[in-house]
Amino acid sequence: MRTHSFLTVLLWSSVFYEVHMTPSQKRTNKNSHSERITGLSENDGKTLHRTKRGWMWNQFFLLEEYTGPDTQYVGKLHTDQDKGDGNLKYILTGDGAGSLFIIDENTGDIHAAKKLDREEKSLYVLRAKAIDRKTGRQVEPESEFIIKIHDINDNEPKFTKDMYTASIPEMSGVGTSVIQVTATDADDANYGNSAKVVYSILQGQPYFSVDPETGIIKTALPDMSRENREQYQVVIQAKDMGGQMGGLSGTTTVNITLTDVNDNPPRFPQSSYQFSSPESAPPGTPLGRIKANDPDVGENAEIEYSISNGDGSDMFDIITDKDTQEGIITVRKHLDFENKVLYTLRVEASNTHPDPRFLQLGPFKDTALVKISVEDIDEPPVFSRPWYLIEVDEDAKEGSIIGQVVAQDPDIAKNAIKYSVDRHTDLDRIFNIYSGNGSLFLSKPLDREETPWHNITVIATEINNPKQSSQIPVFIRILDINDHAPEFANYYETFVCENAKAGQLIQTVSAIDKDQPPRGHKFFFELVPEFAVHPNFSVVDNKDNTAGIMTRRNGYSRSKTSTYLLPIIIFDNDYPIQSSTGTLTIRVCACDSRGNMQSCSAEALLLPAGLSTGALVAILLCIIILLVLVVLFTALKRQRKKEPLIISKDDVRDNIVTYNDEGGGEEDTQAFDIGTLRNPEAREESKVRRDVIPETIFQIRRTAPLWENIDVQDFIHRRLKENDLDPAAPPYDSLATYAYEGNDSIANSLSSLESLTTEGNQDYDYLSDWGPRFKKLADMYGGEDSDRD
């Protein structure tokens, strides 16, 4: 009963904790009384009994990092069943059993074999049991217990960073937080003060301080200026054991930077500046630079320059160089040494981003005086005007003065000036100028109708310094005078119908004039005095620079008069009045009933009445077609004459002509002269073809005799060429005889007609040596029985 209740007692954590916390007991009370706990379980409601355990050990806590000469004693296992006779065996299992913790199986004493590190493992769970050596049976249920490692201060505090970086605006108040540093201690925070860290400042006083508990670094001095000192290095210490003697410590470094604020106004290093400029400097020319110093940085040091006042505020400008924060003084208008030699400016420099917190320190701007002196230079002559316009009549005489240009030296010396005309602008040399006074005069006559404007350039040059010169454009306008008579605006082709009625308008004429009067053109039309009363036509002035040609009678006849000439006077109204006579040619034409012209030619009257132009064209086309048909008929008739006499349905033009001339044999030498076959000269005469009707007897060309030429191939080619070029040769295939036999063969004759007559048999065995072509002959005559066969 007592043995089985021991495991139940061990499972109560309160008992374990009570035993652990009480002084070690040497043994258990063997006479302990059982204590019954009555209750119902979840299963069967059996009564639970708890009996005090029979184990005993002396210690449950170990110190880490033990460095004694012997192994550290942990405790002793003992059971009431142990009689001391060595029959029981103690076994230890669990965390570190056999390696870290060793048990004496006879006595139950437990020792730590190695140094233990709480930071590596703070507690170990072990199980113990007692076994009977003889039976191998457990005499006590297996018991579980915990060994805790007591911490010692063996770890110093460590900061999360080896070095911190922080920044804070300059001029910050006392107590302004900068940064928080944190240190951790690996020791047990729940056991003693080994992990209690306290912060202190080792370096950085009196500028900064640190909260000993939180590690927050704060400012300790007011109005720290970045311009005086920008970087600070603060060393912070963290010490455990609450900062007491014997505690371990660690340090870190904090680099603190003061950031800039706009607490300094710009200041000029000097109160006045002196610059100079030549009077010829064009607008925009930089004269010099000034700079106000600002100890601030970044946008707090950005400066804007301006001209506040002064007698040269309208003559000069100042701009800010954003890269260097300098003020650049430039020329705004053209300077004139003769007008003013010294200018005074007051320049102001101010911050573009002032900080309202420091405005009470004073105005964030500064002023300086700038003096600019103008230097005199030798300037070119200056004309009285930027350009000149001169008007001159086109009838102005040569040598007459048309205008004047004026220039002078702007310098104090007032050097003499000479004038000239740029000939590149007056290639025809129409104009000239007096070099002393600048008067322009004509060298050639003018013609407005040819060139109404002349644009020339006049040059003014200092006599003492020819390098100093200037030029000016002169525009010369040629004024018109009435020197041209008006004339017809166009060439008019006027006609009048034969059936015209009196008072009919047949033409409207207008005029043009090369002149350009200031009030516009006004033209008048009338007949010449000799034809003031024309019997056929009249001129009516329409008062709008046009005139109408009217008929004065009914009917006109081409047969009597085909053309009328009507002279008309045209004159203008300008002074002096100019006039001209234009002759209008009027043709008499045949017209239809609506007045449309049909014919104006006098030859048309000879044609039959009613025959129109279209009918004439049709007759001409018929004649041309008839002529073409006649030509084609003639050509076909000639083609029929060239056809051959022998016409057959199967005629293919390859005909064999049989002459039926047998001759008298070899003995008949008179019947056929065989020498013609051997004499090439016999074929020289041209023979006319007998199958074609002859048209013209052509002249036959004579060729050189060929009987001396023994080359048959060359002879045949010569004959072939002659027949090809012969104009009398037929255009189709026919048999051509060249009549040339040629020389004897080197093989001699194979015939037996010329062989010697012998009574004996002739030997033909040599035919076998002549090759396969003569094999048949060799077989026929070469054998002994050939004659009999």
Side-chain angles (χ1 to χ4, degrees):
M1 182 74 173
R2 197 174 79 181
T3 302
H4 294 288
S5 64
F6 177 72
L7 180 58
T8 305
V9 174
L10 279 179
L11 292 176
W12 288 84
S13 60
S14 60
V15 175
F16 268 92
Y17 183 77
E18 182 180 355
V19 174
H20 291 172
M21 299 301 296
T22 56
S24 59
Q25 299 178 354
K26 297 298 182 181
R27 56 185 175 85
T28 61
N29 187 3
K30 295 183 179 180
N31 298 322
S32 61
H33 297 281
S34 299
E35 184 175 319
R36 175 173 294 183
I37 299 177
T38 306
L40 295 176
S41 66
E42 294 180 2
N43 297 328
D44 53 5
K46 293 181 179 179
T47 301
L48 298 177
H49 298 279
R50 183 180 65 182
T51 305
K52 292 183 179 180
R53 57 181 175 78
W55 294 99
M56 183 184 71
W57 47 80
N58 296 329
Q59 188 173 349
F60 296 95
F61 291 92
L62 292 179
L63 292 176
E64 66 170 338
E65 303 294 342
Y66 175 75
T67 57
D70 299 328
T71 58
Q72 189 175 3
Y73 183 73
V74 177
K76 182 180 180 65
L77 293 179
H78 186 75
T79 179
D80 293 341
Q81 301 295 329
D82 189 0
K83 304 300 182 178
D85 53 4
N87 290 330
L88 294 181
K89 177 182 179 182
Y90 294 95
I91 299 175
L92 185 66
T93 60
D95 294 339
S99 59
L100 294 180
F101 304 102
I102 301 174
I103 187 171
D104 188 337
E105 61 180 14
N106 296 321
T107 62
D109 293 326
I110 303 173
H111 292 82
K114 299 179 181 179
K115 293 192 300 182
L116 301 177
D117 188 355
R118 189 201 67 83
E119 286 73 32
E120 181 179 348
K121 190 174 180 64
S122 61
L123 58 89
Y124 296 87
V125 178
L126 299 174
R127 292 179 294 277
K129 56 185 176 180
I131 300 175
D132 191 331
R133 291 179 182 273
K134 294 179 180 180
T135 61
R137 183 172 52 86
Q138 292 186 14
V139 297
E140 293 283 355
E142 187 179 62
S143 175
E144 183 179 276
F145 61 95
I146 297 175
I147 299 177
K148 291 187 176 181
I149 309 301
H150 273 176
D151 182 47
I152 63 172
N153 191 17
D154 59 343
N155 292 280
E156 73 276 5
K158 291 184 179 180
F159 285 93
T160 56
K161 294 181 181 179
D162 294 335
M163 181 176 292
Y164 292 84
T165 302
S167 61
I168 185 174
E170 63 174 334
M171 309 299 291
S172 297
V174 176
T176 302
S177 296
V178 180
I179 193 175
Q180 183 179 14
V181 296
T182 304
T184 58
D185 195 320
D187 294 326
D188 190 359
N190 298 321
Y191 181 79
N193 295 326
S194 299
K196 187 177 182 179
V197 178
V198 175
Y199 300 95
S200 61
I201 185 168
L202 300 182
Q203 178 183 326
Q205 296 175 332
Y207 307 102
F208 300 95
S209 63
V210 63
D211 189 302
E213 295 183 358
T214 61
I216 298 176
I217 300 174
K218 301 178 180 180
T219 58
L221 284 181
D223 301 333
M224 287 191 294
S225 177
R226 184 199 64 82
E227 289 74 29
N228 295 332
R229 184 177 177 182
E230 184 177 4
Q231 298 288 340
Y232 294 87
Q233 191 175 68
V234 179
V235 178
I236 303 297
Q237 181 189 62
K239 190 174 183 179
D240 59 10
M241 299 298 293
Q244 298 178 3
M245 294 292 293
L248 302 178
S249 63
T251 60
T252 187
T253 302
V254 182
N255 293 323
I256 302 175
T257 302
L258 296 183
T259 59
D260 184 62
V261 296
N262 193 5
D263 59 339
N264 294 283
R267 291 288 181 264
F268 283 106
Q270 58 192 68
S271 59
S272 63
Y273 295 87
Q274 183 73 35
F275 299 101
S276 62
S277 172
E279 62 176 337
S280 61
T285 302
L287 303 181
R289 293 172 175 255
I290 60 175
K291 183 177 183 181
N293 297 325
D294 192 334
D296 297 324
V297 294
E299 67 175 15
N300 297 323
E302 292 181 359
I303 301 174
E304 185 177 3
Y305 297 89
S306 62
I307 298 176
S308 58
N309 53 43
D311 56 2
S313 58
D314 61 336
M315 301 298 294
F316 302 93
D317 277 333
I318 186 169
I319 58 177
T320 303
D321 189 337
K322 299 300 182 180
D323 296 330
T324 61
Q325 299 301 317
E326 294 178 318
I328 305 174
I329 299 175
T330 60
V331 178
R332 184 177 182 181
K333 296 181 180 179
H334 286 286
L335 304 175
D336 189 359
F337 174 81
E338 290 73 24
N339 186 25
K340 190 175 181 63
V341 297
L342 182 63
Y343 294 90
T344 302
L345 307 174
R346 184 164 293 278
V347 178
E348 182 179 278
S350 59
N351 280 136
T352 58
H353 300 87
D355 194 334
R357 296 178 299 171
F358 305 102
L359 293 179
Q360 71 276 6
L361 299 179
F364 279 75
K365 59 183 178 180
D366 195 15
T367 59
L369 195 65
V370 178
K371 296 181 179 180
I372 301 174
S373 59
V374 181
E375 300 175 351
D376 185 29
I377 63 171
D378 190 5
E379 298 177 89
V382 178
F383 285 92
S384 59
R385 300 178 187 176
W387 48 272
Y388 289 87
L389 174 62
I390 299 175
E391 294 182 344
V392 58
D393 293 332
E394 64 174 326
D395 62 344
K397 304 301 181 182
E398 296 181 16
S400 59
I401 295 175
I402 62 173
Q404 185 182 16
V405 296
V406 178
Q408 62 179 358
D409 185 9
D411 300 322
I412 298 177
K414 302 296 181 183
N415 295 323
I417 297 173
K418 66 177 181 178
Y419 302 89
S420 61
V421 176
D422 185 359
R423 291 305 173 188
H424 294 92
T425 61
D426 184 24
L427 298 176
D428 296 332
R429 295 182 174 269
I430 299 175
F431 304 96
N432 213 330
I433 192 170
Y434 290 107
S435 61
N437 58 11
S439 297
L440 287 165
F441 62 92
L442 292 176
S443 298
K444 294 181 179 180
L446 302 173
D447 187 359
R448 189 203 66 82
E449 287 72 31
E450 181 178 353
T451 307
W453 284 90
H454 293 272
N455 302 329
I456 65 174
T457 300
V458 175
I459 302 173
T461 307
E462 291 186 10
I463 297 177
N464 295 335
N465 186 8
K467 294 182 179 180
Q468 296 297 332
S469 64
S470 58
Q471 56 187 17
I472 197 75
V474 179
F475 307 104
I476 302 174
R477 179 183 179 184
I478 310 303
L479 299 179
D480 182 43
I481 62 170
N482 195 22
D483 58 345
H484 289 85
E487 56 187 14
F488 282 130
N490 297 301
Y491 173 74
Y492 297 100
E493 294 184 356
T494 306
F495 70 95
V496 62
C497 296
E498 288 182 311
N499 56 357
K501 304 298 182 182
Q504 184 177 344
L505 176 65
I506 62 172
Q507 183 70 58
T508 299
V509 296
S510 61
I512 58 173
D513 195 336
K514 294 181 180 179
D515 297 321
Q516 294 291 334
R519 291 177 298 276
H521 289 294
K522 184 63 178 176
F523 301 123
F524 302 94
F525 303 86
E526 63 181 24
L527 291 173
V528 297
E530 292 81 2
F531 298 91
V533 180
H534 198 280
N536 298 307
F537 305 98
S538 63
V539 177
V540 178
D541 196 334
N542 297 327
K543 308 301 182 182
D544 60 353
N545 293 340
T546 65
I549 310 301
M550 313 292 293
T551 58
R552 294 194 63 184
R553 64 186 179 88
N554 295 327
Y556 295 85
S557 176
R558 284 183 291 169
S559 59
K560 294 180 180 180
T561 305
S562 63
T563 302
Y564 293 92
L565 300 178
L566 187 64
I568 301 175
I569 298 177
I570 311 171
F571 56 92
D572 55 23
N573 65 336
D574 204 357
Y575 181 82
I577 295 176
Q578 300 288 339
S579 64
S580 66
T581 301
T583 301
L584 190 65
T585 302
I586 304 174
R587 295 186 298 163
V588 180
C589 300
C591 302
D592 57 14
S593 60
R594 290 176 293 181
N596 297 323
M597 182 185 65
Q598 292 183 343
S599 176
C600 296
S601 176
E603 291 76 3
L605 297 174
L606 302 179
L607 297 175
L611 193 57
S612 62
T613 304
L616 293 176
V617 173
I619 293 173
L620 182 61
L621 289 176
C622 291
I623 294 173
I624 294 174
I625 293 173
L626 289 175
L627 292 176
V628 172
L629 291 175
V630 171
V631 172
L632 292 176
F633 180 76
T634 306
L636 291 175
K637 189 175 181 181
R638 288 186 177 182
Q639 185 67 25
R640 293 192 190 99
K641 292 181 180 182
K642 294 183 179 181
E643 293 182 356
L645 296 178
I646 302 175
I647 299 177
S648 174
K649 294 182 180 180
D650 299 328
D651 185 13
V652 294
R653 299 305 179 190
D654 291 332
N655 301 319
I656 299 177
V657 181
T658 304
Y659 296 99
N660 295 322
D661 190 357
E662 184 176 356
E666 292 181 358
E667 299 298 332
D668 187 2
T669 58
Q670 301 298 326
F672 183 80
D673 187 4
I674 199 172
T676 58
L677 296 176
R678 301 181 180 274
N679 188 3
E681 194 173 6
R683 288 292 299 163
E684 291 297 323
E685 296 181 1
S686 178
K687 298 292 189 300
V688 180
R689 291 186 54 169
R690 292 176 292 174
D691 59 343
V692 178
I693 301 175
E695 282 188 284
T696 307
I697 304 301
F698 292 94
Q699 182 80 21
I700 304 302
R701 294 176 297 155
R702 302 290 295 181
T703 58
L706 300 178
W707 57 85
E708 296 179 356
N709 191 352
I710 62 174
D711 190 352
V712 178
Q713 182 179 4
D714 182 63
F715 169 78
I716 294 174
H717 286 314
R718 291 284 298 273
R719 287 301 189 187
L720 178 61
K721 184 176 182 182
E722 289 177 3
N723 280 272
D724 289 340
L725 298 178
D726 188 0
Y732 43 81
D733 295 338
S734 63
L735 182 63
T737 304
Y738 296 101
Y740 181 72
E741 184 178 359
N743 296 327
D744 296 339
S745 174
I746 59 175
N748 295 324
S749 177
L750 298 180
S751 174
S752 60
L753 297 177
E754 297 180 1
S755 302
L756 296 177
T757 303
T758 57
E759 295 181 356
N761 294 331
Q762 189 171 345
D763 186 8
Y764 295 100
D765 293 338
Y766 60 87
L767 294 176
S768 301
D769 300 331
W770 286 8
R773 294 183 180 182
F774 299 95
K775 184 176 183 302
K776 188 65 176 175
L777 292 176
D779 294 339
M780 294 174 61
Y781 297 98
E784 295 180 357
D785 300 333
S786 60
D787 293 339
R788 293 189 300 268
D789 295 339

